[in-house]
Amino acid sequence: MIKQSENADITSLTTFGITAGCGSLFEYDTDSDLAALHSQGVFRRPYITLGGGSNLLFVNGFYPGAVITSRNDSVTWRGLDTDFPLMECGAALQLDRACSLAAEAGLWGLENLSGIPGSVGGAAVQNAGAYGAEFADAAVTLKVFDTRTGQTAEMPAANCGYGYRTSIFKAPENSGRYIITAVTFRLSRPCRANLSYRGLTEALGYDEITAEAASALTPRQIRTAVLAVRDRKLPDPSKAGSAGSFFKNPVVSADEYQQIICLSGMEPSGHRLPDGSIKLSAAWLIDKAGCKTLTCGGAALWPSQPLVLVNASGATGADVATLAAEVSARVRQRFGVTLTPEVIYIR
Ligand SMILES: Cc1cc2nc3c(=O)[nH]c(=O)nc-3n(C[C@H](O)[C@H](O)[C@H](O)COP(=O)(O)OP(=O)(O)OC[C@H]3O[C@@H](n4cnc5c(N)ncnc54)[C@H](O)[C@@H]3O)c2cc1C
């Protein structure tokens, strides 16, 4: 069934808590509903797809086009009696709900993603990730509605161009073209503990963890540790609106890294990637560029994680965008590094 609302208030459908509205809001349940919207010509006019609204900034407070959002939060299990069960989730299912269901069933694959706000569909676009794991590590197939053809097709996750917070769905030529309606995750009964993020081992109560101790862990224990680490660092969207990390961690070549050291006289925090490039900590750059206490209107940086811009008190989308531009400018001036927003601007 399709529910259509005109001049809808969608403030509560996003996590920034910034007043936002849209020309039309279409809430749908099935792929047939999307086919019906296609027949009505909805996708020939400006539209965006909304998941949990946890990575979006409505810059002007009102988007004049159509907002399309799924209500399908179904979960279907297959092969539960095997070592590698499949869990098919409707696009509207909260990613954290999928993580919780898997962990409670004693299945590995999603535990490190616990606590990431938003929907399974949004995570599939952003390749959401945390603590050494990404959406793409566990996803096997996506059900995708093509708004050009009006057809639904299955797409192997391996063909979705997944990389650091990116996918083919974000490529300019595909912008808005595909609506993800379901995702199938392949989970594992045999232990697959991913402890590559050091803070996680510490949260589990170990300085160093032996292979034997790691193999005795459960997905539920990792989930609990992840949620505890997140709680300490990140704002709870119900208390301080945000869209999580506002910028991506910049990746630079070894030569560029040396240039940054020469320019700034500092050795930026980061870690080397397998191809020799270095992923810098955007939070460190922002801090050392002296941005931590910057504000604009009601927008500010979150004290324990300056990579997160928050709606501290009645911020507008423009306040956040202006603050983000100022942070970027200062980092560029101090380190010669350009920060790329992870958050998607809707105008
Ligand atoms: C407090 C906080 C902490 C966060 N921590 C993390 C973190 O640790 N790691 C991380 O990766 N992210 C994090 N985020 C960002 C955000 O939660 C993720 O990017 C999340 O995956 C976005 O999902 P969403 O459903 O909210 O997508 P939305 O914000 O609704 O949309 C994001 C993009 O996906 C598109 N989209 C959404 N659903 C669909 C669909 N079904 N089909 C096609 N396109 C769609 C939208 O058009 C938009 O382009 C955090 C956010 C907050 C507020």
Short mmCIF file of all heavy atoms in Angstrom, two decimals, residues 13-16 28 48-57 68-70 91-95 112-131 165 169-170 176 178-182 230 234-237 240-245 308 342-344 346, ligand 1:
data_model
loop_
_atom_site.label_atom_id
_atom_site.label_comp_id
_atom_site.label_asym_id
_atom_site.label_seq_id
_atom_site.Cartn_x
_atom_site.Cartn_y
_atom_site.Cartn_z
N LEU A 13 11.76 12.04 10.68
CA LEU A 13 12.29 10.92 9.89
C LEU A 13 13.79 11.06 9.66
O LEU A 13 14.39 10.30 8.90
CB LEU A 13 11.56 10.82 8.54
CG LEU A 13 10.03 10.67 8.59
CD1 LEU A 13 9.47 10.45 7.18
CD2 LEU A 13 9.64 9.49 9.48
N THR A 14 14.40 12.08 10.29
CA THR A 14 15.85 12.25 10.17
C THR A 14 16.45 12.35 11.58
O THR A 14 15.72 12.60 12.54
CB THR A 14 16.22 13.53 9.39
OG1 THR A 14 15.86 14.66 10.18
CG2 THR A 14 15.51 13.61 8.05
N THR A 15 17.77 12.17 11.69
CA THR A 15 18.38 12.15 13.03
C THR A 15 19.01 13.48 13.43
O THR A 15 19.45 13.61 14.57
CB THR A 15 19.48 11.06 13.11
OG1 THR A 15 20.41 11.28 12.05
CG2 THR A 15 18.89 9.66 13.01
N PHE A 16 19.08 14.45 12.52
CA PHE A 16 19.66 15.75 12.88
C PHE A 16 18.72 16.56 13.78
O PHE A 16 19.13 17.46 14.49
CB PHE A 16 20.01 16.57 11.63
CG PHE A 16 21.47 16.77 11.43
CD1 PHE A 16 22.09 16.41 10.24
CD2 PHE A 16 22.26 17.33 12.44
CE1 PHE A 16 23.46 16.60 10.06
CE2 PHE A 16 23.63 17.52 12.28
CZ PHE A 16 24.24 17.15 11.08
N TYR A 28 5.87 3.37 1.12
CA TYR A 28 5.40 2.19 0.37
C TYR A 28 5.81 0.91 1.09
O TYR A 28 6.70 0.92 1.95
CB TYR A 28 5.98 2.22 -1.06
CG TYR A 28 7.46 1.91 -1.10
CD1 TYR A 28 7.91 0.62 -1.30
CD2 TYR A 28 8.39 2.92 -0.87
CE1 TYR A 28 9.27 0.33 -1.29
CE2 TYR A 28 9.75 2.63 -0.87
CZ TYR A 28 10.17 1.34 -1.07
OH TYR A 28 11.51 1.05 -1.05
N ILE A 48 13.87 11.90 -3.94
CA ILE A 48 14.99 11.24 -3.26
C ILE A 48 14.43 10.04 -2.50
O ILE A 48 13.23 9.99 -2.19
CB ILE A 48 15.74 12.17 -2.27
CG1 ILE A 48 14.78 12.73 -1.21
CG2 ILE A 48 16.47 13.28 -2.99
CD1 ILE A 48 15.49 13.25 0.03
N THR A 49 15.31 9.10 -2.19
CA THR A 49 14.92 7.97 -1.35
C THR A 49 15.42 8.24 0.06
O THR A 49 16.56 8.67 0.25
CB THR A 49 15.57 6.67 -1.87
OG1 THR A 49 15.26 6.54 -3.24
CG2 THR A 49 15.05 5.46 -1.12
N LEU A 50 14.55 7.99 1.03
CA LEU A 50 14.91 8.22 2.43
C LEU A 50 14.91 6.89 3.15
O LEU A 50 13.96 6.11 3.02
CB LEU A 50 13.86 9.16 3.05
CG LEU A 50 14.00 9.49 4.53
CD1 LEU A 50 15.10 10.52 4.75
CD2 LEU A 50 12.69 10.04 5.08
N GLY A 51 15.97 6.62 3.90
CA GLY A 51 15.99 5.43 4.75
C GLY A 51 15.69 5.87 6.17
O GLY A 51 14.60 6.35 6.45
N GLY A 52 16.68 5.76 7.05
CA GLY A 52 16.49 6.21 8.43
C GLY A 52 16.84 7.68 8.60
O GLY A 52 16.79 8.20 9.72
N GLY A 53 17.23 8.35 7.51
CA GLY A 53 17.55 9.78 7.58
C GLY A 53 18.73 10.08 8.51
O GLY A 53 18.83 11.18 9.04
N SER A 54 19.64 9.11 8.68
CA SER A 54 20.74 9.33 9.63
C SER A 54 22.03 9.78 8.95
O SER A 54 23.05 9.90 9.62
CB SER A 54 20.99 8.05 10.45
OG SER A 54 21.40 7.00 9.61
N ASN A 55 21.97 10.01 7.64
CA ASN A 55 23.17 10.52 6.98
C ASN A 55 22.81 11.65 6.01
O ASN A 55 23.49 11.86 5.01
CB ASN A 55 23.89 9.39 6.25
CG ASN A 55 25.40 9.46 6.43
OD1 ASN A 55 25.89 10.29 7.20
ND2 ASN A 55 26.13 8.63 5.73
N LEU A 56 21.74 12.36 6.32
CA LEU A 56 21.24 13.39 5.42
C LEU A 56 21.19 14.74 6.12
O LEU A 56 20.91 14.82 7.32
CB LEU A 56 19.81 13.05 4.98
CG LEU A 56 19.59 11.75 4.22
CD1 LEU A 56 18.11 11.57 3.93
CD2 LEU A 56 20.38 11.75 2.92
N LEU A 57 21.44 15.80 5.35
CA LEU A 57 21.27 17.16 5.87
C LEU A 57 20.36 17.91 4.90
O LEU A 57 20.73 18.11 3.73
CB LEU A 57 22.64 17.87 5.96
CG LEU A 57 22.55 19.33 6.41
CD1 LEU A 57 22.05 19.44 7.85
CD2 LEU A 57 23.92 20.02 6.28
N ILE A 68 10.70 9.31 -1.12
CA ILE A 68 10.18 7.94 -1.21
C ILE A 68 10.78 7.15 -0.06
O ILE A 68 12.00 7.13 0.10
CB ILE A 68 10.65 7.26 -2.54
CG1 ILE A 68 10.56 8.21 -3.73
CG2 ILE A 68 9.95 5.93 -2.76
CD1 ILE A 68 9.19 8.56 -4.20
N THR A 69 9.96 6.50 0.74
CA THR A 69 10.52 5.74 1.86
C THR A 69 9.78 4.42 2.08
O THR A 69 8.56 4.35 1.93
CB THR A 69 10.57 6.61 3.15
OG1 THR A 69 11.39 5.95 4.11
CG2 THR A 69 9.20 6.86 3.76
N SER A 70 10.56 3.39 2.38
CA SER A 70 9.99 2.04 2.54
C SER A 70 9.46 1.82 3.96
O SER A 70 9.99 2.37 4.92
CB SER A 70 11.09 1.01 2.25
OG SER A 70 10.67 -0.27 2.63
N ALA A 91 14.19 -3.31 3.28
CA ALA A 91 15.06 -2.13 3.31
C ALA A 91 14.82 -1.25 4.52
O ALA A 91 15.72 -0.55 4.98
CB ALA A 91 14.85 -1.31 2.03
N ALA A 92 13.58 -1.26 5.06
CA ALA A 92 13.28 -0.34 6.15
C ALA A 92 13.70 -0.89 7.52
O ALA A 92 13.63 -0.17 8.52
CB ALA A 92 11.79 -0.02 6.17
N LEU A 93 14.12 -2.15 7.56
CA LEU A 93 14.54 -2.70 8.86
C LEU A 93 15.72 -1.88 9.38
O LEU A 93 16.65 -1.57 8.63
CB LEU A 93 14.96 -4.17 8.70
CG LEU A 93 15.27 -4.87 10.03
CD1 LEU A 93 13.99 -5.22 10.76
CD2 LEU A 93 16.11 -6.13 9.81
N GLN A 94 15.68 -1.52 10.66
CA GLN A 94 16.82 -0.82 11.25
C GLN A 94 18.03 -1.74 11.19
O GLN A 94 17.94 -2.93 11.56
CB GLN A 94 16.51 -0.46 12.72
CG GLN A 94 15.40 0.56 12.88
CD GLN A 94 15.78 1.89 12.23
OE1 GLN A 94 16.77 2.50 12.61
NE2 GLN A 94 15.01 2.32 11.24
N LEU A 95 19.15 -1.22 10.76
CA LEU A 95 20.36 -2.04 10.68
C LEU A 95 20.67 -2.65 12.05
O LEU A 95 21.03 -3.83 12.15
CB LEU A 95 21.55 -1.20 10.19
CG LEU A 95 22.88 -1.94 10.12
CD1 LEU A 95 22.84 -3.05 9.07
CD2 LEU A 95 24.04 -0.99 9.83
N ASN A 112 29.82 -6.17 14.68
CA ASN A 112 30.62 -4.94 14.76
C ASN A 112 29.84 -3.71 14.26
O ASN A 112 30.24 -2.59 14.52
CB ASN A 112 31.91 -5.07 13.93
CG ASN A 112 32.89 -6.05 14.55
OD1 ASN A 112 32.47 -7.07 15.07
ND2 ASN A 112 34.17 -5.74 14.52
N LEU A 113 28.75 -3.96 13.51
CA LEU A 113 27.95 -2.83 12.99
C LEU A 113 26.86 -2.40 13.97
O LEU A 113 26.07 -1.50 13.68
CB LEU A 113 27.30 -3.21 11.65
CG LEU A 113 28.24 -3.73 10.55
CD1 LEU A 113 27.47 -3.98 9.26
CD2 LEU A 113 29.38 -2.76 10.29
N SER A 114 26.83 -3.06 15.13
CA SER A 114 25.79 -2.75 16.13
C SER A 114 25.79 -1.26 16.44
O SER A 114 26.84 -0.62 16.55
CB SER A 114 26.07 -3.52 17.42
OG SER A 114 25.93 -4.90 17.19
N GLY A 115 24.59 -0.73 16.58
CA GLY A 115 24.45 0.66 17.02
C GLY A 115 24.53 1.69 15.92
O GLY A 115 24.30 2.87 16.17
N ILE A 116 24.86 1.29 14.68
CA ILE A 116 24.85 2.28 13.60
C ILE A 116 23.40 2.62 13.30
O ILE A 116 22.60 1.72 13.02
CB ILE A 116 25.54 1.74 12.31
CG1 ILE A 116 27.01 1.41 12.59
CG2 ILE A 116 25.42 2.75 11.17
CD1 ILE A 116 27.78 0.89 11.39
N PRO A 117 23.02 3.89 13.40
CA PRO A 117 21.61 4.24 13.14
C PRO A 117 21.25 4.03 11.67
O PRO A 117 22.13 3.88 10.81
CB PRO A 117 21.54 5.72 13.49
CG PRO A 117 22.78 6.04 14.25
CD PRO A 117 23.81 5.07 13.77
N GLY A 118 19.97 4.07 11.39
CA GLY A 118 19.53 4.01 10.00
C GLY A 118 19.06 2.62 9.60
O GLY A 118 19.05 1.68 10.38
N SER A 119 18.68 2.53 8.32
CA SER A 119 18.03 1.34 7.80
C SER A 119 19.04 0.44 7.07
O SER A 119 20.13 0.88 6.71
CB SER A 119 16.95 1.77 6.80
OG SER A 119 17.58 2.40 5.69
N VAL A 120 18.60 -0.77 6.81
CA VAL A 120 19.40 -1.71 6.01
C VAL A 120 19.60 -1.13 4.60
O VAL A 120 20.69 -1.21 4.03
CB VAL A 120 18.69 -3.08 5.98
CG1 VAL A 120 19.21 -3.95 4.87
CG2 VAL A 120 18.84 -3.77 7.33
N GLY A 121 18.56 -0.51 4.04
CA GLY A 121 18.67 0.06 2.68
C GLY A 121 19.69 1.19 2.62
O GLY A 121 20.50 1.27 1.69
N GLY A 122 19.67 2.07 3.63
CA GLY A 122 20.64 3.17 3.67
C GLY A 122 22.05 2.64 3.86
O GLY A 122 23.01 3.14 3.24
N ALA A 123 22.21 1.63 4.69
CA ALA A 123 23.54 1.03 4.93
C ALA A 123 24.10 0.44 3.64
O ALA A 123 25.31 0.47 3.40
CB ALA A 123 23.44 -0.04 6.01
N ALA A 124 23.20 -0.07 2.79
CA ALA A 124 23.63 -0.68 1.52
C ALA A 124 24.15 0.39 0.56
O ALA A 124 25.04 0.11 -0.25
CB ALA A 124 22.45 -1.41 0.89
N VAL A 125 23.63 1.59 0.65
CA VAL A 125 24.10 2.67 -0.23
C VAL A 125 25.44 3.21 0.29
O VAL A 125 26.40 3.38 -0.46
CB VAL A 125 23.06 3.82 -0.26
CG1 VAL A 125 23.60 5.04 -0.99
CG2 VAL A 125 21.78 3.33 -0.91
N GLN A 126 25.50 3.43 1.60
CA GLN A 126 26.67 4.08 2.21
C GLN A 126 27.80 3.10 2.49
O GLN A 126 28.89 3.51 2.84
CB GLN A 126 26.26 4.75 3.53
CG GLN A 126 25.17 5.82 3.38
CD GLN A 126 25.66 6.99 2.58
OE1 GLN A 126 25.78 6.92 1.37
NE2 GLN A 126 25.98 8.08 3.25
N ASN A 127 27.53 1.80 2.39
CA ASN A 127 28.47 0.78 2.88
C ASN A 127 28.88 1.15 4.30
O ASN A 127 30.08 1.30 4.62
CB ASN A 127 29.69 0.64 1.97
CG ASN A 127 30.50 -0.61 2.33
OD1 ASN A 127 29.99 -1.53 2.99
ND2 ASN A 127 31.74 -0.64 1.92
N ALA A 128 27.85 1.27 5.14
CA ALA A 128 28.07 1.67 6.53
C ALA A 128 29.08 0.73 7.18
O ALA A 128 29.10 -0.48 6.88
CB ALA A 128 26.74 1.64 7.29
N GLY A 129 29.89 1.28 8.04
CA GLY A 129 30.90 0.43 8.67
C GLY A 129 31.38 1.00 9.98
O GLY A 129 31.20 2.19 10.26
N ALA A 130 31.97 0.14 10.79
CA ALA A 130 32.55 0.59 12.06
C ALA A 130 33.37 -0.55 12.64
O ALA A 130 33.09 -1.72 12.38
CB ALA A 130 31.43 0.96 13.04
N TYR A 131 34.40 -0.17 13.41
CA TYR A 131 35.19 -1.13 14.17
C TYR A 131 35.69 -2.29 13.31
O TYR A 131 35.59 -3.46 13.66
CB TYR A 131 34.41 -1.61 15.41
CG TYR A 131 33.90 -0.42 16.19
CD1 TYR A 131 32.55 -0.10 16.25
CD2 TYR A 131 34.80 0.45 16.80
CE1 TYR A 131 32.11 1.05 16.89
CE2 TYR A 131 34.37 1.60 17.44
CZ TYR A 131 33.03 1.89 17.48
OH TYR A 131 32.61 3.04 18.10
N ARG A 165 32.84 3.68 2.51
CA ARG A 165 31.61 4.51 2.49
C ARG A 165 31.17 4.84 1.07
O ARG A 165 30.68 5.95 0.80
CB ARG A 165 31.80 5.82 3.27
CG ARG A 165 32.19 5.67 4.68
CD ARG A 165 31.09 5.05 5.55
NE ARG A 165 31.64 4.85 6.87
CZ ARG A 165 32.34 3.75 7.22
NH1 ARG A 165 32.51 2.76 6.39
NH2 ARG A 165 32.82 3.65 8.44
N PHE A 169 25.80 2.84 -6.05
CA PHE A 169 24.56 3.61 -5.90
C PHE A 169 24.85 5.10 -5.70
O PHE A 169 23.98 5.93 -5.85
CB PHE A 169 23.73 3.06 -4.73
CG PHE A 169 23.49 1.59 -4.86
CD1 PHE A 169 24.11 0.68 -4.00
CD2 PHE A 169 22.71 1.10 -5.89
CE1 PHE A 169 23.92 -0.68 -4.16
CE2 PHE A 169 22.52 -0.27 -6.05
CZ PHE A 169 23.13 -1.16 -5.19
N LYS A 170 26.12 5.41 -5.33
CA LYS A 170 26.49 6.81 -5.11
C LYS A 170 27.15 7.43 -6.34
O LYS A 170 27.44 8.63 -6.34
CB LYS A 170 27.44 6.91 -3.91
CG LYS A 170 26.78 6.47 -2.62
CD LYS A 170 27.70 6.61 -1.45
CE LYS A 170 27.70 8.03 -0.92
NZ LYS A 170 28.41 8.13 0.38
N GLY A 176 20.28 8.30 -7.47
CA GLY A 176 18.85 8.10 -7.23
C GLY A 176 18.20 7.02 -8.08
O GLY A 176 17.03 6.70 -7.88
N TYR A 178 18.54 3.70 -8.39
CA TYR A 178 18.14 2.42 -7.81
C TYR A 178 17.56 2.60 -6.41
O TYR A 178 18.14 3.29 -5.58
CB TYR A 178 19.34 1.48 -7.71
CG TYR A 178 19.92 1.13 -9.06
CD1 TYR A 178 21.13 1.68 -9.48
CD2 TYR A 178 19.26 0.27 -9.92
CE1 TYR A 178 21.66 1.37 -10.73
CE2 TYR A 178 19.78 -0.04 -11.16
CZ TYR A 178 20.98 0.51 -11.56
OH TYR A 178 21.50 0.21 -12.79
N ILE A 179 16.46 1.93 -6.15
CA ILE A 179 15.91 1.89 -4.80
C ILE A 179 16.11 0.47 -4.28
O ILE A 179 15.61 -0.50 -4.89
CB ILE A 179 14.42 2.29 -4.78
CG1 ILE A 179 14.28 3.75 -5.29
CG2 ILE A 179 13.85 2.15 -3.38
CD1 ILE A 179 12.86 4.27 -5.30
N ILE A 180 16.85 0.34 -3.21
CA ILE A 180 17.11 -0.99 -2.63
C ILE A 180 15.90 -1.38 -1.81
O ILE A 180 15.47 -0.61 -0.93
CB ILE A 180 18.40 -0.94 -1.78
CG1 ILE A 180 19.59 -0.65 -2.70
CG2 ILE A 180 18.61 -2.25 -1.02
CD1 ILE A 180 20.67 0.12 -2.06
N THR A 181 15.33 -2.52 -2.11
CA THR A 181 14.11 -2.91 -1.40
C THR A 181 14.35 -4.03 -0.39
O THR A 181 13.54 -4.24 0.51
CB THR A 181 12.98 -3.30 -2.37
OG1 THR A 181 13.41 -4.43 -3.13
CG2 THR A 181 12.63 -2.15 -3.31
N ALA A 182 15.45 -4.77 -0.55
CA ALA A 182 15.77 -5.83 0.42
C ALA A 182 17.25 -6.19 0.31
O ALA A 182 17.88 -5.95 -0.73
CB ALA A 182 14.92 -7.07 0.17
N ARG A 230 30.58 2.80 21.53
CA ARG A 230 29.83 3.84 20.81
C ARG A 230 29.19 4.82 21.79
O ARG A 230 29.19 6.02 21.55
CB ARG A 230 28.75 3.19 19.93
CG ARG A 230 29.30 2.37 18.78
CD ARG A 230 28.17 1.89 17.89
NE ARG A 230 27.61 3.00 17.16
CZ ARG A 230 28.01 3.38 15.95
NH1 ARG A 230 28.93 2.71 15.31
NH2 ARG A 230 27.46 4.41 15.36
N LEU A 234 29.89 8.66 20.98
CA LEU A 234 28.98 9.29 20.01
C LEU A 234 27.73 9.84 20.66
O LEU A 234 27.23 9.26 21.64
CB LEU A 234 28.59 8.25 18.94
CG LEU A 234 29.73 7.82 18.04
CD1 LEU A 234 29.37 6.54 17.29
CD2 LEU A 234 30.07 8.92 17.05
N PRO A 235 27.19 10.92 20.13
CA PRO A 235 25.96 11.47 20.70
C PRO A 235 24.77 10.57 20.41
O PRO A 235 24.66 10.01 19.32
CB PRO A 235 25.80 12.81 19.98
CG PRO A 235 26.59 12.68 18.72
CD PRO A 235 27.67 11.69 18.97
N ASP A 236 23.90 10.45 21.38
CA ASP A 236 22.65 9.72 21.18
C ASP A 236 21.72 10.65 20.39
O ASP A 236 21.42 11.76 20.86
CB ASP A 236 22.08 9.41 22.58
CG ASP A 236 20.70 8.79 22.52
OD1 ASP A 236 20.09 8.80 21.43
OD2 ASP A 236 20.23 8.32 23.56
N PRO A 237 21.28 10.22 19.16
CA PRO A 237 20.48 11.13 18.33
C PRO A 237 19.23 11.65 19.05
O PRO A 237 18.74 12.73 18.71
CB PRO A 237 20.09 10.27 17.12
CG PRO A 237 21.09 9.17 17.08
CD PRO A 237 21.52 8.94 18.50
N ALA A 240 21.13 14.65 21.17
CA ALA A 240 21.79 15.69 20.35
C ALA A 240 21.75 15.20 18.91
O ALA A 240 22.39 14.21 18.56
CB ALA A 240 23.22 15.90 20.80
N GLY A 241 20.97 15.91 18.10
CA GLY A 241 20.81 15.49 16.70
C GLY A 241 22.13 15.55 15.95
O GLY A 241 22.94 16.47 16.14
N SER A 242 22.36 14.55 15.10
CA SER A 242 23.57 14.55 14.26
C SER A 242 23.34 13.58 13.11
O SER A 242 22.30 12.93 13.02
CB SER A 242 24.79 14.11 15.08
OG SER A 242 24.89 12.71 15.12
N ALA A 243 24.34 13.49 12.25
CA ALA A 243 24.30 12.46 11.20
C ALA A 243 25.56 11.61 11.30
O ALA A 243 26.07 11.10 10.32
CB ALA A 243 24.17 13.10 9.83
N GLY A 244 26.09 11.48 12.52
CA GLY A 244 27.32 10.70 12.73
C GLY A 244 28.52 11.46 12.19
O GLY A 244 28.51 12.70 12.13
N SER A 245 29.53 10.73 11.78
CA SER A 245 30.75 11.37 11.26
C SER A 245 30.38 12.25 10.08
O SER A 245 29.79 11.76 9.12
CB SER A 245 31.75 10.31 10.78
OG SER A 245 32.07 9.47 11.84
N VAL A 308 31.94 14.70 14.53
CA VAL A 308 30.47 14.72 14.50
C VAL A 308 29.99 16.15 14.72
O VAL A 308 30.31 16.78 15.73
CB VAL A 308 29.90 13.79 15.60
CG1 VAL A 308 28.38 13.86 15.64
CG2 VAL A 308 30.37 12.35 15.38
N GLU A 342 30.78 12.99 4.41
CA GLU A 342 30.14 11.67 4.31
C GLU A 342 28.62 11.89 4.26
O GLU A 342 27.88 11.15 3.63
CB GLU A 342 30.53 10.85 5.55
CG GLU A 342 30.03 9.43 5.57
CD GLU A 342 30.56 8.66 6.78
OE1 GLU A 342 31.75 8.79 7.13
OE2 GLU A 342 29.77 7.92 7.38
N VAL A 343 28.20 12.96 4.93
CA VAL A 343 26.78 13.31 4.99
C VAL A 343 26.33 13.83 3.62
O VAL A 343 27.08 14.53 2.92
CB VAL A 343 26.56 14.40 6.07
CG1 VAL A 343 25.16 14.96 6.03
CG2 VAL A 343 26.88 13.82 7.44
N ILE A 344 25.11 13.46 3.23
CA ILE A 344 24.59 13.86 1.92
C ILE A 344 23.72 15.12 2.10
O ILE A 344 22.81 15.13 2.93
CB ILE A 344 23.79 12.69 1.32
CG1 ILE A 344 24.76 11.54 1.06
CG2 ILE A 344 23.06 13.10 0.05
CD1 ILE A 344 24.12 10.21 0.97
N ILE A 346 20.93 17.61 1.01
CA ILE A 346 19.70 17.67 0.20
C ILE A 346 19.28 19.13 0.10
O ILE A 346 19.11 19.80 1.12
CB ILE A 346 18.55 16.84 0.84
CG1 ILE A 346 19.00 15.41 1.18
CG2 ILE A 346 17.30 16.85 -0.04
CD1 ILE A 346 19.27 14.52 0.01
C1 LIG B 1 24.93 9.01 15.94
C2 LIG B 1 25.28 8.46 14.58
C3 LIG B 1 26.32 7.55 14.47
C4 LIG B 1 26.67 7.02 13.21
N1 LIG B 1 27.68 6.11 13.15
C5 LIG B 1 28.01 5.57 11.95
C6 LIG B 1 29.04 4.58 11.86
O1 LIG B 1 29.62 4.15 12.86
N2 LIG B 1 29.35 4.10 10.62
C7 LIG B 1 28.71 4.53 9.50
O2 LIG B 1 29.02 4.04 8.40
N3 LIG B 1 27.73 5.46 9.56
C8 LIG B 1 27.37 5.99 10.74
N4 LIG B 1 26.38 6.93 10.81
C9 LIG B 1 25.77 7.42 9.57
C10 LIG B 1 24.51 6.64 9.14
O3 LIG B 1 23.91 6.06 10.26
C11 LIG B 1 24.82 5.58 8.09
O4 LIG B 1 25.40 6.14 6.95
C12 LIG B 1 23.56 4.81 7.70
O5 LIG B 1 23.93 3.64 7.01
C13 LIG B 1 22.60 5.61 6.82
O6 LIG B 1 21.40 4.86 6.71
P1 LIG B 1 19.98 5.56 6.58
O7 LIG B 1 18.98 4.51 6.38
O8 LIG B 1 19.75 6.49 7.70
O9 LIG B 1 20.18 6.36 5.23
P2 LIG B 1 19.66 7.83 4.89
O10 LIG B 1 20.41 8.82 5.71
O11 LIG B 1 18.19 7.88 4.91
O12 LIG B 1 20.17 7.93 3.38
C14 LIG B 1 21.54 7.86 3.04
C15 LIG B 1 21.66 7.74 1.52
O13 LIG B 1 21.13 6.50 1.11
C16 LIG B 1 20.02 6.68 0.21
N5 LIG B 1 19.05 5.64 0.57
C17 LIG B 1 18.52 5.37 1.78
N6 LIG B 1 17.74 4.28 1.72
C18 LIG B 1 17.78 3.86 0.43
C19 LIG B 1 17.18 2.77 -0.27
N7 LIG B 1 16.38 1.89 0.32
N8 LIG B 1 17.45 2.65 -1.60
C20 LIG B 1 18.25 3.53 -2.24
N9 LIG B 1 18.83 4.58 -1.63
C21 LIG B 1 18.60 4.73 -0.31
C22 LIG B 1 19.53 8.09 0.47
O14 LIG B 1 18.90 8.62 -0.66
C23 LIG B 1 20.85 8.79 0.77
O15 LIG B 1 21.51 9.07 -0.43
C24 LIG B 1 25.98 7.45 12.05
C25 LIG B 1 24.92 8.36 12.16
C26 LIG B 1 24.57 8.85 13.41
C27 LIG B 1 23.42 9.80 13.53
#
